[in-house]
Amino acid sequence: MASSNKFSRRSFIRTGSLGIGALALGPALSAFALSPLKAKKKLGIALVGLGSYSSGQLGPALQHTKDCYLAGIVTGTPSKAVDWAKKYNIPKKNIYNYQNFHEIANNPDIDIVYIVLPVFMHKEYTIKAAQAGKHVICEKPMALNAKDCDEMISACKKADRLLSIGYRLHFEPHNMEIMRLGQQKVMGEVKHIDTGNGFTYNGDPNAWRLKKALAGGGGLMDMGIYSIQGSRYTLGQEPVAVKATQQKLRPDFFKEVDETVFWELEFPGGLRTTGKSSYNNDWSYLKVEADMGNFGLGPAYGYGSIEGSVNGAPMKYPQIVQQAAQMDDFAQCVQLNKPSRVPGEEGLKDMKVVDAIYKSLDSGKWEKIG
Amino acid sequence: MASSNKFSRRSFIRTGSLGIGALALGPALSAFALSPLKAKKKLGIALVGLGSYSSGQLGPALQHTKDCYLAGIVTGTPSKAVDWAKKYNIPKKNIYNYQNFHEIANNPDIDIVYIVLPVFMHKEYTIKAAQAGKHVICEKPMALNAKDCDEMISACKKADRLLSIGYRLHFEPHNMEIMRLGQQKVMGEVKHIDTGNGFTYNGDPNAWRLKKALAGGGGLMDMGIYSIQGSRYTLGQEPVAVKATQQKLRPDFFKEVDETVFWELEFPGGLRTTGKSSYNNDWSYLKVEADMGNFGLGPAYGYGSIEGSVNGAPMKYPQIVQQAAQMDDFAQCVQLNKPSRVPGEEGLKDMKVVDAIYKSLDSGKWEKIG
């Protein structure tokens, strides 16, 4: 029962220096040796849509994956097909366009189809991919609204295919630690959460992201999903109501979609958290106050370096290729036929919140979620 | 899909300042209100054995518990009974000695019996307590050997009572983080573990801890359990073999029991970890090297402050009353009728390692565990 409280951080003494490490494992131990793990087949992924996320993130990440590889592409732009085929050594038989996409059903090289299209096309191509017999990863936001998410989930269930949403941060060490700290109440009860995600949009004014019919919305759909996720996965609970307001400083640029949105989420038990999203502010943080201290992230949600702290002490976890970890995890799920930890239902939960935020922006009132 | 990588740690803006926080929750939300949680009964714990661990740790910790309270005591020393009754306001009907201990079966105030006796008495009193219809916590080391552990587990199963071993560190935030980092491979594959636990024993030379028949062994039984645990819970695996050596600098003091023991554990897959225990060195550390960095604790295992680091950055988790967290968790297990996360089987696993270490000290060879 007794144990010393005294601090002792001696030099790293390996008992090898005491003669133990040098001893060979005797023959009696051969029975303990494990047979080498059966070499697993790497699953083939096809990227559908070769925009900036595919070219800047997913393509490069697939050079770091262990359980899957870039087997095919689907693009409507012939010059991209040529470039990708050359860069990633993709055989012609694994390159599709949107006219012959259905033929992917007959291609055994492709196990998983990753939908990286504008939001309004997510539903159609997720369902087509599942019906073609492929497991599906769909980028976030999952769809234009919660109703579409329901249809996608049903279609994948009916086709007996796994569906996962591109929530890379569920595989990122700093964000995973936030989930543990909050959900396991390591610092006691969470008393407040404030989080924001946004960037200053100065790109093409004709981009699909700025068209409501194509993107479903603006900063809220694209960046706000992360802030909604941050509150949800810190608490491990689903919000029940929301009240939102918005701000538009560049109405000529953001003609159809929201620019900056502020909201307050109410969780069961009464806790209210604040969140925000923007296409006109550089935000990427999560701050949590709990009974026994505080913790948070900043940058919290980007593809690059994630930094975090607990009571002022920095987190020093590895910076990983998030999308590689995310895709490898899904490949493992497919191999084991088990649901992803970020299934379609996770995307649906966020879209219910998004729908309620837009409703609250219209009504000016608190709105029930779900 | 886009997300900013830019660092942004703005001042803690609460959207309340934007007018949202002030809005009252409308009547439409009353449906979301949860009914207040049913007030739970605090379970009654009786401590069996009022030595230094009970007086210095468990008695005080029971002033911090939320789900259980100090309801009774069992002692062979009448003066201790008087002192404890006064200090903790324990009614006479809840005070037992070793002659009338069996009558505790008729006492509805006592839900849990905590065995805090010398090791050789653990088996007898664990079995007696379970047969008296009480759930049991037994201090570590669980028993004199693995065979006795088996009997204790069987007896509690037969009596349909829960059994937990006093592994307080499974409820301690820094140690829990070590379990996560290692088991979830947050820093990649673990490449090496070195850990030690010990203190310089200068107490009563006639203490039961120095008698082999009463304590089962010396520093290995008392302190080494923590080092064994450290390797086991960092990896989340069971070792398959061990090789050990020992050192005795004060043979006149440690006549019957081991003073300082060094060992190497082999885990499935071939990883070897080093550990040590002592009654003649002040050690309390755990050092882990993994593919993507290092992490560790020091002090690692004491009752007091635990300090840890990840890649050189300090952990800043709360310092908690470990035994209070441990006892509250067991009280919750009893309420929910679910096994403790440190059941008798956990104590058995350590004792199999301890048995193999003593065997290796005798044989001078690698010994199979279990």
Side-chain angles (χ1 to χ4, degrees):
Chain A
M1 292 171 281
S3 180
S4 170
N5 293 336
K6 285 176 199 144
F7 184 87
S8 171
R9 193 178 275 279
R10 307 249 171 140
S11 61
F12 199 132
I13 299 167
R14 296 187 58 153
T15 57
S17 64
L18 287 148
I20 295 177
L23 285 161
L25 199 64
L29 287 185
S30 58
F32 309 144
L34 292 178
S35 58
L37 283 171
K38 198 173 58 174
K40 276 190 299 189
K41 180 202 167 212
K42 275 193 173 192
L43 299 187
I45 289 194
L47 298 179
V48 183
L50 302 181
S52 63
Y53 193 64
S54 281
S55 62
Q57 302 299 327
L58 297 179
L62 281 160
Q63 309 312 303
H64 296 274
T65 45
K66 289 175 287 190
D67 300 307
C68 54
Y69 75 103
L70 179 57
I73 49 175
V74 182
T75 177
T77 312
S79 63
K80 286 186 184 176
V82 172
D83 291 347
W84 278 68
K86 195 172 164 188
K87 183 168 185 183
Y88 292 118
N89 198 26
I90 299 168
K92 199 165 178 186
K93 69 182 174 66
N94 291 355
I95 300 176
Y96 296 85
N97 58 42
Y98 298 106
Q99 281 67 52
N100 65 13
F101 174 68
H102 60 280
E103 293 172 15
I104 207 166
N106 307 317
N107 190 336
D109 289 358
I110 313 296
D111 302 287
I112 295 165
V113 164
Y114 196 149
I115 311 298
V116 206
L117 293 163
V119 181
F120 81 103
M121 296 170 82
H122 284 185
K123 181 172 85 168
E124 178 185 349
Y125 280 87
T126 291
I127 294 174
K128 279 185 174 167
Q131 289 175 346
K134 306 304 178 185
H135 300 284
V136 186
I137 310 176
C138 176
E139 250 318 301
K140 42 69 43 194
M142 184 172 169
L144 293 175
N145 53 57
K147 187 179 151 291
D148 283 0
C149 297
D150 273 328
E151 289 180 44
M152 294 159 75
I153 293 168
S154 296
C156 291
K157 280 218 174 94
K158 201 174 164 193
D160 197 22
R161 298 293 87 180
L162 292 177
L163 170 61
S164 181
I165 310 303
Y167 290 118
R168 57 191 162 77
L169 295 173
H170 283 250
F171 308 90
E172 193 284 316
H174 303 74
N175 278 271
M176 288 171 75
E177 169 66 344
I178 294 292
M179 298 173 201
R180 185 185 76 99
L181 293 173
Q183 293 178 25
Q184 298 188 16
K185 301 183 184 176
V186 174
M187 315 287 286
E189 290 287 340
V190 170
K191 292 297 181 192
H192 190 70
I193 298 174
D194 180 55
T195 179
N197 195 37
F199 73 103
T200 305
Y201 200 132
N202 283 315
D204 177 5
N206 295 313
W208 66 262
R209 290 188 182 286
L210 301 180
K211 316 267 185 216
K212 187 163 172 57
L214 309 189
L220 177 60
M221 284 289 278
D222 189 20
M223 307 302 287
I225 289 278
Y226 292 91
S227 303
I228 293 166
Q229 281 269 310
S231 275
R232 288 182 52 237
Y233 60 60
T234 299
L235 294 170
Q237 295 180 330
E238 297 310 317
V240 294
V242 67
K243 172 77 179 72
T245 58
Q246 63 180 319
Q247 189 179 51
K248 204 172 273 196
L249 301 176
R250 295 161 62 198
D252 290 346
F253 196 82
F254 302 106
K255 282 186 187 114
E256 297 186 20
V257 299
D258 49 283
E259 177 192 302
T260 300
V261 180
F262 306 91
W263 64 85
E264 197 169 9
L265 292 176
E266 176 157 313
F267 284 83
L271 180 69
R272 291 187 185 178
T273 72
T274 53
K276 54 184 186 273
S277 62
S278 186
Y279 267 167
N280 201 33
N281 288 279
D282 296 320
W283 292 325
S284 179
Y285 74 91
L286 170 70
K287 298 191 180 198
V288 184
E289 291 177 5
D291 264 345
M292 292 189 281
N294 61 72
F295 51 99
L297 302 173
Y301 303 128
Y303 312 143
S305 182
I306 305 288
E307 305 293 337
S309 64
V310 178
N311 283 332
M315 293 180 185
K316 290 277 187 183
Y317 303 122
Q319 303 294 342
I320 64 163
V321 181
Q322 300 167 9
Q323 293 89 351
Q326 170 211 328
M327 290 187 279
D328 271 344
D329 185 85
F330 188 61
Q332 290 163 22
C333 289
V334 168
Q335 291 274 19
L336 301 169
N337 191 29
K338 70 166 194 180
S340 161
R341 81 176 86 142
V342 283
E345 288 79 0
E346 182 70 14
L348 171 63
K349 285 171 185 167
D350 281 343
M351 283 313 302
K352 284 180 176 171
V353 179
V354 168
D355 286 354
I357 289 176
Y358 282 126
K359 204 170 164 190
S360 176
L361 287 179
D362 283 344
S363 72
K365 292 179 183 167
W366 279 91
E367 295 290 345
K368 186 174 169 175
I369 294 167
Chain B
M1 293 170 280
S3 180
S4 170
N5 294 337
K6 286 177 200 145
F7 184 89
S8 171
R9 192 177 276 282
R10 307 250 169 139
S11 60
F12 200 132
I13 298 166
R14 295 188 55 152
T15 58
S17 65
L18 287 147
I20 296 177
L23 285 161
L25 199 63
L29 287 185
S30 57
F32 309 142
L34 292 179
S35 56
L37 283 170
K38 196 173 62 175
K40 276 190 299 191
K41 181 202 167 212
K42 274 193 174 195
L43 299 187
I45 289 195
L47 297 179
V48 183
L50 303 181
S52 63
Y53 193 64
S54 281
S55 63
Q57 302 298 329
L58 297 179
L62 281 160
Q63 310 312 302
H64 295 273
T65 44
K66 288 177 288 191
D67 299 306
C68 55
Y69 74 104
L70 179 57
I73 48 176
V74 182
T75 177
T77 312
S79 64
K80 286 186 183 175
V82 171
D83 291 348
W84 278 68
K86 197 172 162 188
K87 184 169 184 183
Y88 291 119
N89 197 27
I90 299 168
K92 200 168 178 184
K93 68 181 174 63
N94 291 355
I95 300 175
Y96 296 86
N97 57 43
Y98 298 106
Q99 282 67 54
N100 66 13
F101 174 68
H102 59 281
E103 293 171 16
I104 208 166
N106 309 316
N107 191 333
D109 289 358
I110 312 296
D111 302 287
I112 296 164
V113 164
Y114 197 149
I115 310 297
V116 206
L117 293 162
V119 180
F120 80 101
M121 297 170 81
H122 284 183
K123 180 172 83 167
E124 177 184 350
Y125 279 87
T126 291
I127 293 173
K128 278 185 174 167
Q131 289 175 347
K134 306 304 178 186
H135 300 283
V136 186
I137 309 175
C138 177
E139 250 319 301
K140 42 71 40 197
M142 183 173 171
L144 294 175
N145 52 59
K147 189 181 150 289
D148 283 0
C149 297
D150 273 328
E151 289 180 45
M152 295 159 75
I153 292 167
S154 296
C156 291
K157 280 217 174 98
K158 199 175 164 191
D160 197 23
R161 298 293 89 179
L162 293 178
L163 170 62
S164 181
I165 310 303
Y167 289 118
R168 55 191 163 74
L169 295 173
H170 283 249
F171 308 90
E172 192 283 315
H174 303 73
N175 278 271
M176 289 170 75
E177 169 66 342
I178 294 292
M179 297 174 203
R180 183 183 77 97
L181 293 174
Q183 293 178 26
Q184 297 189 15
K185 301 183 183 177
V186 173
M187 315 288 284
E189 290 287 337
V190 169
K191 293 295 179 191
H192 191 70
I193 298 175
D194 181 56
T195 179
N197 196 36
F199 72 104
T200 306
Y201 199 132
N202 283 316
D204 177 5
N206 295 312
W208 65 263
R209 290 189 182 284
L210 301 180
K211 317 267 186 216
K212 187 162 172 56
L214 309 189
L220 176 61
M221 285 288 279
D222 190 21
M223 306 303 286
I225 288 280
Y226 291 92
S227 302
I228 294 166
Q229 281 268 311
S231 275
R232 287 182 52 235
Y233 59 60
T234 298
L235 293 171
Q237 295 181 330
E238 297 311 316
V240 294
V242 67
K243 173 76 179 72
T245 59
Q246 63 180 318
Q247 190 179 52
K248 204 172 271 193
L249 301 175
R250 295 160 63 197
D252 290 348
F253 196 81
F254 302 107
K255 281 186 189 114
E256 297 185 21
V257 299
D258 50 283
E259 180 192 300
T260 300
V261 180
F262 307 90
W263 64 84
E264 197 170 9
L265 292 176
E266 175 157 315
F267 284 82
L271 181 70
R272 291 186 184 180
T273 72
T274 53
K276 51 185 187 271
S277 62
S278 187
Y279 268 168
N280 201 34
N281 287 278
D282 296 320
W283 292 325
S284 179
Y285 73 92
L286 171 69
K287 298 191 181 197
V288 184
E289 291 176 6
D291 264 345
M292 293 190 280
N294 62 73
F295 52 99
L297 301 173
Y301 304 127
Y303 312 142
S305 182
I306 306 289
E307 306 293 338
S309 65
V310 178
N311 283 333
M315 293 180 183
K316 291 277 188 182
Y317 303 122
Q319 302 294 342
I320 65 164
V321 181
Q322 301 166 8
Q323 294 88 351
Q326 170 210 331
M327 290 188 279
D328 271 344
D329 185 84
F330 188 62
Q332 290 163 22
C333 288
V334 168
Q335 292 275 18
L336 301 170
N337 192 30
K338 70 167 193 179
S340 161
R341 80 176 88 141
V342 283
E345 287 78 1
E346 181 71 13
L348 170 62
K349 285 171 184 166
D350 281 342
M351 284 312 301
K352 284 180 176 172
V353 179
V354 168
D355 287 354
I357 290 176
Y358 281 127
K359 205 170 163 191
S360 176
L361 288 179
D362 283 344
S363 72
K365 292 177 184 168
W366 279 89
E367 295 290 347
K368 187 174 169 175
I369 295 167

PDB file of all heavy atoms in Angstrom, chain A residues 25-36:
ATOM      1  N   LEU A  25      16.729 -14.672 -25.056  1.00  0.00           N
ATOM      2  CA  LEU A  25      15.471 -15.334 -24.755  1.00  0.00           C
ATOM      3  C   LEU A  25      15.687 -16.830 -24.929  1.00  0.00           C
ATOM      4  O   LEU A  25      16.098 -17.292 -25.981  1.00  0.00           O
ATOM      5  CB  LEU A  25      14.405 -14.820 -25.730  1.00  0.00           C
ATOM      6  CG  LEU A  25      12.947 -15.014 -25.356  1.00  0.00           C
ATOM      7  CD1 LEU A  25      12.618 -14.236 -24.097  1.00  0.00           C
ATOM      8  CD2 LEU A  25      12.062 -14.543 -26.487  1.00  0.00           C
ATOM      9  N   GLY A  26      15.457 -17.599 -23.889  1.00  0.00           N
ATOM     10  CA  GLY A  26      15.721 -19.030 -23.929  1.00  0.00           C
ATOM     11  C   GLY A  26      14.760 -19.778 -24.839  1.00  0.00           C
ATOM     12  O   GLY A  26      13.734 -19.245 -25.238  1.00  0.00           O
ATOM     13  N   PRO A  27      15.073 -21.013 -25.163  1.00  0.00           N
ATOM     14  CA  PRO A  27      14.226 -21.813 -26.049  1.00  0.00           C
ATOM     15  C   PRO A  27      12.835 -22.048 -25.455  1.00  0.00           C
ATOM     16  O   PRO A  27      11.871 -22.203 -26.196  1.00  0.00           O
ATOM     17  CB  PRO A  27      14.996 -23.120 -26.204  1.00  0.00           C
ATOM     18  CG  PRO A  27      16.048 -23.120 -25.146  1.00  0.00           C
ATOM     19  CD  PRO A  27      16.288 -21.708 -24.759  1.00  0.00           C
ATOM     20  N   ALA A  28      12.752 -22.029 -24.137  1.00  0.00           N
ATOM     21  CA  ALA A  28      11.453 -22.251 -23.507  1.00  0.00           C
ATOM     22  C   ALA A  28      10.434 -21.197 -23.940  1.00  0.00           C
ATOM     23  O   ALA A  28       9.240 -21.393 -23.814  1.00  0.00           O
ATOM     24  CB  ALA A  28      11.596 -22.227 -21.997  1.00  0.00           C
ATOM     25  N   LEU A  29      10.916 -20.074 -24.442  1.00  0.00           N
ATOM     26  CA  LEU A  29      10.015 -18.980 -24.787  1.00  0.00           C
ATOM     27  C   LEU A  29       9.513 -19.026 -26.224  1.00  0.00           C
ATOM     28  O   LEU A  29       8.664 -18.237 -26.611  1.00  0.00           O
ATOM     29  CB  LEU A  29      10.709 -17.632 -24.566  1.00  0.00           C
ATOM     30  CG  LEU A  29      10.869 -17.263 -23.099  1.00  0.00           C
ATOM     31  CD1 LEU A  29      11.447 -15.874 -23.006  1.00  0.00           C
ATOM     32  CD2 LEU A  29       9.539 -17.320 -22.377  1.00  0.00           C
ATOM     33  N   SER A  30      10.031 -19.946 -27.010  1.00  0.00           N
ATOM     34  CA  SER A  30       9.648 -19.945 -28.423  1.00  0.00           C
ATOM     35  C   SER A  30       8.141 -20.098 -28.578  1.00  0.00           C
ATOM     36  O   SER A  30       7.554 -19.609 -29.531  1.00  0.00           O
ATOM     37  CB  SER A  30      10.379 -21.052 -29.165  1.00  0.00           C
ATOM     38  OG  SER A  30      10.081 -22.295 -28.550  1.00  0.00           O
ATOM     39  N   ALA A  31       7.508 -20.740 -27.619  1.00  0.00           N
ATOM     40  CA  ALA A  31       6.060 -20.939 -27.692  1.00  0.00           C
ATOM     41  C   ALA A  31       5.305 -19.621 -27.637  1.00  0.00           C
ATOM     42  O   ALA A  31       4.163 -19.532 -28.071  1.00  0.00           O
ATOM     43  CB  ALA A  31       5.597 -21.847 -26.555  1.00  0.00           C
ATOM     44  N   PHE A  32       5.945 -18.572 -27.086  1.00  0.00           N
ATOM     45  CA  PHE A  32       5.247 -17.280 -26.951  1.00  0.00           C
ATOM     46  C   PHE A  32       5.285 -16.462 -28.237  1.00  0.00           C
ATOM     47  O   PHE A  32       4.573 -15.499 -28.381  1.00  0.00           O
ATOM     48  CB  PHE A  32       5.883 -16.426 -25.855  1.00  0.00           C
ATOM     49  CG  PHE A  32       6.040 -17.149 -24.564  1.00  0.00           C
ATOM     50  CD1 PHE A  32       7.138 -16.923 -23.751  1.00  0.00           C
ATOM     51  CD2 PHE A  32       5.075 -18.067 -24.155  1.00  0.00           C
ATOM     52  CE1 PHE A  32       7.273 -17.599 -22.564  1.00  0.00           C
ATOM     53  CE2 PHE A  32       5.206 -18.747 -22.953  1.00  0.00           C
ATOM     54  CZ  PHE A  32       6.313 -18.506 -22.155  1.00  0.00           C
ATOM     55  N   ALA A  33       6.188 -16.840 -29.138  1.00  0.00           N
ATOM     56  CA  ALA A  33       6.348 -16.026 -30.345  1.00  0.00           C
ATOM     57  C   ALA A  33       5.043 -16.016 -31.135  1.00  0.00           C
ATOM     58  O   ALA A  33       4.391 -17.041 -31.306  1.00  0.00           O
ATOM     59  CB  ALA A  33       7.483 -16.574 -31.197  1.00  0.00           C
ATOM     60  N   LEU A  34       4.638 -14.837 -31.577  1.00  0.00           N
ATOM     61  CA  LEU A  34       3.409 -14.732 -32.360  1.00  0.00           C
ATOM     62  C   LEU A  34       3.725 -14.985 -33.823  1.00  0.00           C
ATOM     63  O   LEU A  34       4.782 -14.631 -34.319  1.00  0.00           O
ATOM     64  CB  LEU A  34       2.832 -13.320 -32.229  1.00  0.00           C
ATOM     65  CG  LEU A  34       2.301 -12.953 -30.853  1.00  0.00           C
ATOM     66  CD1 LEU A  34       1.804 -11.520 -30.879  1.00  0.00           C
ATOM     67  CD2 LEU A  34       1.174 -13.886 -30.453  1.00  0.00           C
ATOM     68  N   SER A  35       2.780 -15.589 -34.514  1.00  0.00           N
ATOM     69  CA  SER A  35       2.962 -15.712 -35.963  1.00  0.00           C
ATOM     70  C   SER A  35       2.873 -14.321 -36.560  1.00  0.00           C
ATOM     71  O   SER A  35       2.116 -13.483 -36.083  1.00  0.00           O
ATOM     72  CB  SER A  35       1.875 -16.616 -36.538  1.00  0.00           C
ATOM     73  OG  SER A  35       0.610 -16.095 -36.244  1.00  0.00           O
ATOM     74  N   PRO A  36       3.661 -14.042 -37.605  1.00  0.00           N
ATOM     75  CA  PRO A  36       3.633 -12.696 -38.178  1.00  0.00           C
ATOM     76  C   PRO A  36       2.228 -12.357 -38.658  1.00  0.00           C
ATOM     77  O   PRO A  36       1.499 -13.222 -39.132  1.00  0.00           O
ATOM     78  CB  PRO A  36       4.616 -12.789 -39.355  1.00  0.00           C
ATOM     79  CG  PRO A  36       4.818 -14.247 -39.590  1.00  0.00           C
ATOM     80  CD  PRO A  36       4.542 -14.953 -38.303  1.00  0.00           C
TER      81      PRO A  36
END
